[in-house]
Amino acid sequence: MHELVSPVNSRSILKYTGYLLLMIGAIIAVPVAAALILGEIVPAAIYAASSGVTLLAGGLLIRLLPECELHQKEAIVIAAIVFPLSSIINAVPLALVNNLPALDALFESVSGLTTTGLSVAPAGVSALFLFTRSWAQWVGGIGIAVLALSILVTPGTSAFRLFDANIGETRLRPNVAGTARVLGTVYAGITILTFILLLLAGMPIFDAVCQAFTTVSTGGFSTKPESIAGFSGGGIPIIIAFGCIMGAANFALYPKLFRAPRTALASIQLRYFILFLTLGTVGLAVTIPGAAPGIIVSEAAFQAISALTTAGFSTIDIGALPDTSKAVLTALMWIGGGVGSTAGGIKIVRIVILVQLVRIVFVRFFVPRETVIPLKIRDHIVDEQKLTYLFTFVLLYFAAVALSAFAVMLHGVPMVDAVFEVSSALGTVGLSSGITGAEMAGTLKAVLIADMLLGRIEIIPLLIFLMPSTWRRRPDRAAGTGAGKAPAAQIPIVR
């Protein structure tokens, strides 16, 4: 496609950024109501002003720029900028209301919207702060672009490309707006169910609201400094674990549960999820020291679910765990949840593809050389372009882990803890070995901010955004490439 070797149309990107700004402005307006309910007038005014400026900016961009079709690379660029842009905008009122340093406010904003859950906030933060960061995780879980598609963007080719760049190839309705609404309905339904169950388990209403937001989004922020360990009642961890699993499952499965339950439950992602969860629970159970066997198994199961779903809740002190337990949790954080879910990590379907590829390598030793063995996941053949994308993504993922961990180790952090912390940030998990905190060096905060954004955006779109050729035509292409010449291969976005 010529559009992929040509620079992006900046006006197109600004036009659709206007729609995103409208959505961000509406999202920031919600804490206004929360502040008024809590009796905090000044914070309400600050959030209202931030919302108003953002809405005005978005409205002006939409009104002043002409209608234009969004091409594939432009949609990828928008997918890359939506989280950094929304994080920066959201950090402004967060800093002003809570008197946070700019870098700390940005850290909290990024951690919330990317559904990570790492925090550098000081102790004793206000109820409004707890609500706004939980709300940010809930919004970040469903995705700002999904909300914009379901409410603001007119259906058509541009909406289709924006959907593919942000969500993937899932189709639950004939048009992307309908699919986005179904996904939003499923998301809201899981949130309401989790909220009701937490209330029935005895959790106070404010905590239940915040915890429901951060559970379905697999975000991990808690209203208690001790995370889930701060709540009494044995039923609460079970409900939280159940909500995290629902949030980490492919949302496309839920409509199928009502039409064909057996088909939905036979999902290969679900089978591998159970396998990894079992292995992780056993690995933790045999490495966590201390308590009675029954307690160790329940704690191991909860932490395995928390790491694999990339939720980041905890019922134990992660920093006090031995290195072997941290290694098990790190591996689970790398794997992550299902594609088409709120979970981060590499994603189970990609692990399945890699496992199938290893199987084919060995099978080839026992069949004639000319035999063609397609790489299949169920009835779907994985083509060469998607396989290339997958290898590139996994290579870049572990390169980011290595480079980030090295940067953390330069500050005197042991290797196991450094790898654990950056894996948590890159997988948008939020579990911490004790490194992340208000006293952490600014350079380390910047490293983890970058990791959280890379993990949520999935690296490649962000790198495309940063490439100079995305924005300007190279001299050799300007001279020798015309419309219809040297078509580039389509970049598959595997999510």
Side-chain angles (χ1 to χ4, degrees), residues 101 103-107 110 119-121 408 411 425 435-452:
L103 185 60
D104 288 6
L106 181 61
F107 189 102
V110 170
S119 179
V120 296
V408 174
H411 287 75
I435 298 170
T436 303
E439 70 288 345
M440 184 169 57
T443 52
L444 294 187
K445 292 176 183 177
V447 168
L448 295 182
I449 286 172
D451 283 338
M452 289 187 285

Side-chain angles (χ1 to χ4, degrees), residues 79-135:
I81 66 175
V82 58
F83 283 98
L85 176 65
S86 56
S87 296
I88 291 170
I89 294 172
N90 184 58
V92 174
L94 201 63
L96 295 175
V97 169
N98 299 283
N99 195 28
L100 290 174
L103 185 60
D104 288 6
L106 181 61
F107 189 102
E108 293 293 320
S109 183
V110 170
S111 184
L113 288 167
T114 60
T115 72
T116 303
L118 291 171
S119 179
V120 296
V125 292
S126 67
L128 178 62
F129 177 84
L130 295 174
F131 173 82
T132 52
R133 74 176 189 177
S134 299
W135 168 247

Side-chain angles (χ1 to χ4, degrees), residues 7-17 65 74 470-471:
V8 295
N9 184 341
S10 300
R11 289 190 174 187
S12 295
I13 292 173
L14 286 173
K15 177 79 171 183
Y16 282 86
T17 299
L65 293 171
E74 291 154 3
T470 297
W471 301 97

Side-chain angles (χ1 to χ4, degrees), residues 85-437:
L85 176 65
S86 56
S87 296
I88 291 170
I89 294 172
N90 184 58
V92 174
L94 201 63
L96 295 175
V97 169
N98 299 283
N99 195 28
L100 290 174
L103 185 60
D104 288 6
L106 181 61
F107 189 102
E108 293 293 320
S109 183
V110 170
S111 184
L113 288 167
T114 60
T115 72
T116 303
L118 291 171
S119 179
V120 296
V125 292
S126 67
L128 178 62
F129 177 84
L130 295 174
F131 173 82
T132 52
R133 74 176 189 177
S134 299
W135 168 247
Q137 286 203 327
W138 191 83
V139 170
I142 187 61
I144 294 169
V146 176
L147 295 174
L149 282 167
S150 61
I151 300 172
L152 302 174
V153 178
T154 304
T157 302
S158 296
F160 177 85
R161 288 172 174 161
L162 191 59
F163 184 94
D164 272 359
N166 284 272
I167 302 165
E169 300 174 353
T170 302
R171 291 288 180 275
L172 302 177
R173 290 291 184 271
N175 58 70
V176 296
T179 297
R181 292 189 187 102
V182 171
L183 294 175
T185 302
V186 169
Y187 191 67
I190 298 173
T191 306
I192 293 170
L193 175 61
T194 304
F195 169 70
I196 293 172
L197 291 175
L198 289 173
L199 278 182
L200 294 176
M203 186 177 285
I205 186 169
F206 176 79
D207 295 305
V209 169
C210 294
Q211 230 62 76
F213 281 163
T214 60
T215 297
V216 66
S217 63
T218 60
F221 274 146
S222 177
T223 52
K224 300 289 186 180
E226 307 86 2
S227 189
I228 303 305
F231 295 100
S232 59
I236 289 177
I238 296 173
I239 295 168
I240 295 293
F242 177 65
C244 291
I245 291 172
M246 288 195 294
N250 187 341
F251 281 15
L253 292 177
Y254 290 105
K256 294 179 183 178
L257 281 173
F258 298 99
R259 300 193 305 270
R262 289 187 178 181
T263 303
L265 294 175
S267 164
I268 194 167
Q269 289 195 81
L270 180 59
R271 297 209 319 254
Y272 270 80
F273 178 87
I274 294 172
L275 172 63
F276 293 136
L277 178 58
T278 302
L279 294 174
T281 300
V282 172
L284 288 173
V286 299
T287 57
I288 293 177
I295 295 175
I296 289 178
V297 170
S298 63
E299 289 179 344
F302 183 88
Q303 290 308 144
I305 290 171
S306 181
L308 187 57
T309 62
T310 71
F313 293 112
S314 61
T315 55
I316 55 179
D317 182 3
I318 302 297
L321 292 176
D323 287 350
T324 48
S325 297
K326 292 176 184 176
V328 173
L329 289 173
T330 300
L332 292 173
M333 292 190 293
W334 286 343
I335 294 170
V339 69
S341 72
T342 62
I346 293 173
K347 302 286 175 43
I348 289 175
V349 71
R350 292 182 174 128
I351 303 297
V352 173
I353 292 173
L354 293 175
V355 170
Q356 290 292 86
L357 184 62
V358 171
R359 183 188 68 84
I360 288 175
V361 168
F362 285 96
V363 168
R364 286 192 181 278
F365 285 101
F366 301 95
V367 297
R369 182 177 298 179
E370 63 274 11
T371 303
V372 177
I373 307 176
L375 200 164
K376 297 178 65 175
I377 304 297
R378 291 284 181 146
D379 297 326
H380 178 70
I381 296 177
V382 180
D383 59 47
E384 185 178 347
Q385 286 186 344
K386 288 186 177 180
L387 198 56
T388 302
Y389 183 96
L390 171 59
F391 272 114
T392 303
F393 170 75
V394 172
L395 177 63
L396 291 173
Y397 193 93
F398 285 110
V401 170
L403 291 173
S404 301
F406 181 74
V408 174
M409 289 165 62
L410 289 176
H411 287 75
V413 177
M415 184 178 70
V416 172
D417 288 342
V419 172
F420 184 95
E421 209 77 5
V422 300
S423 296
S424 180
L426 194 62
T428 66
V429 183
L431 292 174
S432 177
S433 60
I435 298 170
T436 303

